[in-house]
């Protein structure tokens, strides 16, 4: 609950999922979850309020621009792919990144991500979701709908609570 609709905590996340598959090395089923990362940072509070002292760490949203998106992809997404993707197929598979048509998914940022992935031994191809076509994106139809339903059950008062709830539900 909030005092006013302007005080609702909002955070954007970068979510990475793949099709579940069998790991060829172990024969175990991999769930396809790569990771979820908030576009937010903990910063010290500037002044004292009734809720906290000055200097207390609090969560603040980060504006998602092309440079920030590229940084998240290179520093968070690519290492997570190397860590979690089934070992037998990570270097022999072309990994398709399906993105919406947001302005931050520019060709320049995509080329930098592809180049960095190539340095790491990964083959990545960015693809864009067709405009006004949520039918082609299983993330919107299934994953985010179920995630949002789970999060509604959790009590959230701060942005930190929201981030923690999303990560636990994921």
């Amino acid at each position: 609950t909030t005092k006013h609709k302007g005080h609702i905590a909002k955070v954007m996340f970068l979510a990475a999922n793949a099709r579940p598959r069998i790991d060829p090395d172990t024969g175990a089923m991999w769930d396809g979850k790569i990771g979820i990362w908030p576009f937010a940072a903990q910063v010290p509070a500037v002044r004292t309020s009734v809720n906290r002292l000055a200097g207390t760490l609090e969560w603040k949203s980060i504006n998602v621009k092309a440079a920030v998106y590229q940084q998240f992809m290179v520093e968070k997404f690519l290492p997570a792919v190397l860590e979690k993707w089934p070992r037998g197929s990570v270097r022999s598979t072309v990994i398709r990144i399906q993105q919406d048509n947001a302005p931050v998914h520019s060709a320049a940022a995509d080329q930098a991500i592809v180049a960095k992935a190539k340095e790491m031994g990964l083959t990545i191809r960015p693809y864009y979701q067709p405009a006004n076509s949520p039918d082609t994106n299983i993330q919107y139809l299934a994953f985010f709908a179920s995630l949002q339903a789970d999060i509604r059950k959790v009590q959230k008062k701060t942005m930190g609570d929201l981030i923690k709830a999303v990560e636990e539900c994921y």
Side-chain angles (χ1 to χ4, degrees):
T1 60
T2 61
K3 291 182 179 182
H4 187 268
K5 67 181 180 179
H7 298 287
I8 298 172
K10 297 176 188 127
V11 182
M12 187 176 292
F13 287 84
L14 173 64
N17 296 309
R19 178 180 48 84
R21 62 193 76 207
I22 295 175
D23 187 341
D25 291 341
T26 63
M29 188 68 174
W30 177 57
D31 64 1
K33 291 182 182 178
I34 296 172
I36 190 164
W37 304 276
F39 284 104
Q42 284 189 309
V43 296
V46 177
R47 349 178 221 290
T48 300
S49 75
V50 294
N51 299 321
R52 50 156 173 63
L53 296 172
T56 303
L57 291 179
E58 61 181 358
W59 285 95
K60 294 286 183 184
S61 288
I62 298 173
N63 288 336
V64 183
K65 297 183 178 176
V68 173
Y69 175 74
Q70 181 180 339
Q71 176 188 359
F72 268 63
M73 291 294 286
V74 169
E75 294 178 5
K76 297 178 189 263
F77 170 73
L78 293 177
V81 168
L82 281 174
E83 177 188 341
K84 296 182 180 178
W85 201 276
R87 293 280 173 235
S89 64
V90 71
R91 297 198 189 273
S92 63
T93 303
V94 174
I95 299 170
R96 295 179 58 177
I97 301 174
Q98 184 177 343
Q99 311 175 106
D100 57 8
N101 291 311
V104 299
H105 304 144
S106 66
D110 288 345
Q111 293 307 317
I113 294 164
V114 169
K116 183 65 176 175
K118 193 171 187 176
E119 289 176 19
M120 299 171 116
L122 298 172
T123 306
I124 289 186
R125 300 271 186 297
Y127 291 90
Y128 297 99
Q129 176 182 343
N132 300 320
S133 180
D135 295 340
T136 61
N137 195 341
I138 194 67
Q139 298 278 27
Y140 291 122
L141 295 173
F143 176 70
F144 291 131
S146 64
L147 187 65
Q148 192 169 18
D150 286 345
I151 288 180
R152 286 191 177 134
K153 300 173 190 172
V154 180
Q155 181 70 23
K156 312 163 286 295
K157 292 191 175 189
T158 65
M159 189 179 293
D161 294 342
L162 177 63
I163 291 169
K164 183 179 175 187
V166 169
E167 289 172 347
E168 285 176 3
C169 288
Y170 180 78

